[in-house]
Amino acid sequence: MQLHFSPSMRSITILSSSSNVINSNGGGFIDLMKIKVAARHISYRTLFHTILILAFLLPFVFILTALVTLEGVNKCSSFDCLGRRLGPRLLGRVDDSGRLVNDFYKILNQVNTEEIPNDLKLPDSFSQLVSEMKTDQYDARTFAIMLRAMMEKFEREIRESKFAELMNKHFAASSVPKGIHCLSLRLTDEYSSNAHARIQLPSPELLPLLSDNSYHHFVLPTDNILAASVVVASAVQSSLKPEKIVFHIITDKKTYAGMHSWFALNPVSPAIVEVRGVHQFDWLTRENVPVLEAVENHYGIRNYYHGNHIAGANLSDTTPRHFASKLQARSPKYISLLNHLRIYLPELFPHLDKVVFLDDDVVIQRDLSPLWEIDLKGKVNGAVETCRGEDEWVMSKRFRNYFNFSHPLIAKNLDPEECAWAYGMNIFDLRAWRKTNIRETYHSWLKENLNSNLTMWKLGTLPPALIAFKGHVHPIDPLWHMLGLGYQHKTNIESVKKAAVIHYNGQSKPWLQIGFEHLRPFWNKYVNYSNDFVRNCHILET
């Protein structure tokens, strides 16, 4: 098809040739159509001005289109799409996303007060929710209901998982690792078959030194052989005068043979080590410890510490942290006679004037000889106070953290704001202690709590000791005793390095798999991994 315009622009001739019809001369059949065009009413000047205006506007349209693209607007494949994108901007309209957010916020507030249908089927993931929105054409309200229901479901699952994690951690902390149990069994067997494992500790010529007050006497009650070996090794290796050290290790009857074997076969000379079982102390009779006998044998008390820790607990009304503290308070070690022995030190060591008491989850990193030179100002107990720090887990403890002040006896006799102190590394002046009634006060309050069905306090040996030692505590520098390595994952490593004694109090003991990896090396360095018993029990450095 061909178009021909006349010079005056008044007519158009259309020529179309068809290959389907052939004339007799072999040429194409010519169709002629002439169309008359109306006279021009647009002048060249007008056309020129129109083109000039368009040339002026087109760069601005181009620039605006580029800005829209750079701002992340989806690409448009048609002029219609581009018009929808650019129209509001060209017309000067403002972005209405703020209005949309406010409208959606109102819908969320409305949905928040409504009941979620019990039969509502929830998607398992956010991507599934988006897919269902696209398929089922959710309105905003339906989407808000689905979103709220999903969030509440996930919150419940996370909460349940947290409580399950705390329970598992509690059981792990209360159990004896396979390697440590193996070590005790093998050493016990060695005691019965190897005469060297049964040699007297200490040797007869050193027996007088057990009551020589010119030596530095440490008392360590424990049923953990590996932990005891670390405490003794770290103290001896850190001491400037190891030949002045005497360790008095007290253990239970079932662990005695294994504990004796370890220190008989692995001497720490020049230090002196004595190993005794509770059954070897004549003073520890039922007449002298009646309350502890009741605590150990009372069915209700044993069920509280050894029974189902979930039964009767309303988990919906408690926080994971509060639940964790309750679990810690129900550790079976708190009803062990071995754990209460510290209150009988003046009677168990009648010839000693001053001792340093250690828990078995500590590591000594500095010479402790200066502790014997500290003037306790006539007090009985030199201890680190635990109300002077900022962390809420360990060093911000007052009496209100340990006692139930809704109980009338507690409210009448104690001050909730009184500063607490720590067990684990204590200097005891036994001469001053023998002049007090600390033991009788301890027994009296234990009996009151027992009669009150444990409503006065829940946590172990420290609360009655806080009462019994009231007015008999001399605070010492916190650098002597750093606590919390079994609680706090974010313990400051530099502070750990500076402390004289570091204490893994809490559930995450360094010999357990739940121990904190970055804090374990401070303990591992004193484990004798080359020892045959340790290797044969597969106690490996981690």
Side-chain angles (χ1 to χ4, degrees):
M1 182 178 67
Q2 295 180 346
L3 299 178
H4 292 282
F5 295 88
S6 68
S8 62
M9 297 293 287
R10 292 180 181 277
S11 66
I12 302 173
T13 302
I14 303 175
L15 296 165
S16 68
S17 58
S18 176
S19 60
N20 297 327
V21 181
I22 309 296
N23 64 11
S24 59
N25 296 325
F29 178 75
I30 306 299
D31 284 339
L32 238 154
M33 183 183 294
K34 184 177 283 188
I35 301 173
K36 294 196 101 179
V37 181
R40 293 197 309 270
H41 296 289
I42 302 176
S43 66
Y44 287 111
R45 182 182 297 276
T46 302
L47 182 61
F48 173 76
H49 287 159
T50 302
I51 294 172
L52 186 63
I53 291 171
L54 289 174
F56 179 76
L57 290 176
L58 282 174
F60 289 97
V61 174
F62 173 76
I63 293 172
L64 185 57
T65 304
L67 287 174
V68 170
T69 303
L70 290 173
E71 288 175 0
V73 178
N74 295 330
K75 293 182 178 180
C76 289
S77 59
S78 67
F79 282 103
D80 178 61
C81 171
L82 187 61
R84 290 198 305 271
R85 299 292 186 188
L86 300 180
R89 293 175 181 266
L90 292 174
L91 294 175
R93 295 177 186 170
V94 296
D95 183 12
D96 61 350
S97 61
R99 181 179 59 81
L100 292 175
V101 171
N102 288 333
D103 290 344
F104 190 60
Y105 178 71
K106 291 178 182 178
I107 295 173
L108 290 175
N109 267 340
Q110 179 185 355
V111 168
N112 192 41
T113 59
E114 297 179 3
E115 290 290 332
I116 297 176
N118 294 328
D119 57 348
L120 184 63
K121 185 178 180 181
L122 298 176
D124 295 325
S125 65
F126 181 75
S127 59
Q128 185 179 344
L129 174 63
V130 173
S131 177
E132 290 183 5
M133 283 180 60
K134 184 177 180 181
T135 304
D136 300 338
Q137 297 292 313
Y138 288 169
D139 58 20
R141 183 177 176 279
T142 303
F143 170 74
I145 291 175
M146 296 290 286
L147 189 63
R148 178 193 164 194
M150 286 180 66
M151 290 291 293
E152 290 183 355
K153 174 190 173 185
F154 293 148
E155 285 177 357
R156 287 193 301 270
E157 290 176 351
I158 292 172
R159 183 180 176 85
E160 290 169 2
S161 298
K162 185 63 179 177
F163 282 119
E165 176 193 354
L166 292 172
M167 280 300 302
N168 291 334
K169 191 172 183 179
H170 172 69
F171 291 139
S174 303
S175 63
V176 178
K178 182 178 179 180
I180 292 179
H181 182 61
C182 165
L183 184 66
S184 180
L185 292 178
R186 286 179 176 268
L187 287 168
T188 300
D189 182 66
E190 193 71 12
Y191 184 84
S192 62
S193 61
N194 185 348
H196 291 289
R198 298 192 301 272
I199 62 172
Q200 185 175 348
L201 289 178
S203 56
E205 66 274 14
L206 297 177
L207 287 177
L209 301 182
L210 296 179
S211 56
D212 189 337
N213 283 295
S214 66
Y215 282 72
H216 299 150
H217 295 267
F218 294 89
V219 177
L220 173 63
T222 179
D223 59 356
N224 187 328
I225 298 172
L226 191 65
S229 73
V230 168
V231 175
V232 174
S234 64
V236 173
Q237 293 179 36
S238 302
S239 177
L240 298 178
K241 299 179 179 179
E243 68 279 0
K244 300 292 290 183
I245 290 178
V246 178
F247 260 97
H248 304 269
I249 298 176
I250 308 173
T251 190
D252 55 19
K253 190 173 184 178
K254 65 178 175 58
T255 313
Y256 170 75
M259 188 76 72
H260 189 284
S261 293
W262 175 269
F263 287 101
L265 299 174
N266 301 278
V268 289
S269 56
I272 299 169
V273 176
E274 174 193 29
V275 178
R276 297 180 71 181
V278 291
H279 58 288
Q280 295 174 323
F281 286 92
D282 296 333
W283 188 86
L284 291 175
T285 62
R286 293 184 179 182
E287 291 75 20
N288 290 329
V289 288
V291 176
L292 296 182
E293 181 80 10
V295 167
E296 282 197 303
N297 295 317
H298 189 282
Y299 172 78
I301 302 302
R302 294 190 64 82
N303 185 60
Y304 175 80
Y305 285 101
H306 291 282
N308 188 341
H309 295 348
I310 292 292
N314 188 358
L315 299 184
S316 62
D317 291 339
T318 187
T319 63
R321 178 177 172 179
H322 187 57
F323 183 65
S325 65
K326 283 187 173 182
L327 288 177
Q328 174 68 13
R330 296 178 75 162
S331 174
K333 73 175 184 179
Y334 292 128
I335 60 172
S336 165
L337 177 60
L338 199 62
N339 199 47
H340 289 266
L341 281 181
R342 63 197 80 195
I343 204 66
Y344 306 118
L345 292 179
E347 290 76 24
L348 299 181
F349 301 99
H351 303 294
L352 294 181
D353 295 338
K354 184 179 286 189
V355 299
V356 168
F357 176 88
L358 298 172
D359 278 348
D360 64 1
D361 53 355
V362 305
V363 173
I364 291 87
Q365 302 186 123
R366 278 171 39 196
D367 178 42
L368 299 186
S369 301
L371 290 176
W372 275 263
E373 301 171 5
I374 294 177
D375 184 4
L376 297 181
K377 311 292 184 183
K379 305 294 185 181
V380 173
N381 180 6
V384 169
E385 292 183 321
T386 54
C387 65
R388 310 297 182 188
E390 296 180 356
D391 72 277
E392 56 185 354
W393 277 103
V394 179
M395 298 303 290
S396 57
K397 301 294 186 182
R398 297 183 181 273
F399 275 30
R400 65 172 180 268
N401 300 108
Y402 297 97
F403 298 99
N404 174 20
F405 276 87
S406 64
H407 194 286
L409 274 179
I410 296 295
K412 179 181 178 181
N413 292 279
L414 302 178
D415 177 8
E417 297 305 314
E418 187 166 345
C419 189
W421 47 268
Y423 263 146
M425 198 286 291
N426 305 81
I427 316 157
F428 288 121
D429 186 336
L430 301 185
R431 287 181 302 176
W433 191 337
R434 294 184 184 102
K435 300 175 183 177
T436 69
N437 62 345
I438 289 174
R439 175 167 59 90
E440 291 76 12
T441 303
Y442 187 89
H443 280 173
S444 173
W445 280 92
L446 267 181
K447 186 179 295 184
E448 288 290 348
N449 192 38
L450 191 63
N451 293 336
S452 299
N453 198 27
L454 299 181
T455 57
M456 299 168 70
W457 69 80
K458 299 290 186 185
L459 183 62
T461 56
L462 183 57
L466 291 175
I467 301 175
F469 283 99
K470 197 170 182 296
H472 299 290
V473 178
H474 176 75
I476 62 174
D477 192 325
L479 285 176
W480 282 112
H481 184 193
M482 181 178 181
L483 297 110
L485 275 70
Y487 282 118
Q488 302 185 108
H489 183 269
K490 297 181 179 179
T491 300
N492 185 285
I493 296 297
E494 292 304 314
S495 298
V496 173
K497 293 177 180 178
K498 294 176 183 177
V501 176
I502 54 176
H503 193 174
Y504 292 85
N505 60 311
Q507 291 181 320
S508 300
K509 304 297 185 188
W511 56 81
L512 299 175
Q513 288 187 346
I514 60 174
F516 300 130
E517 293 296 330
H518 65 297
L519 299 176
R520 202 191 306 273
F522 295 96
W523 188 84
N524 278 350
K525 65 188 292 187
Y526 295 106
V527 178
N528 184 5
Y529 289 104
S530 63
N531 182 274
D532 288 340
F533 290 100
V534 172
R535 287 192 294 107
N536 291 335
C537 287
H538 305 290
I539 299 174
L540 304 176
E541 187 171 6
T542 55

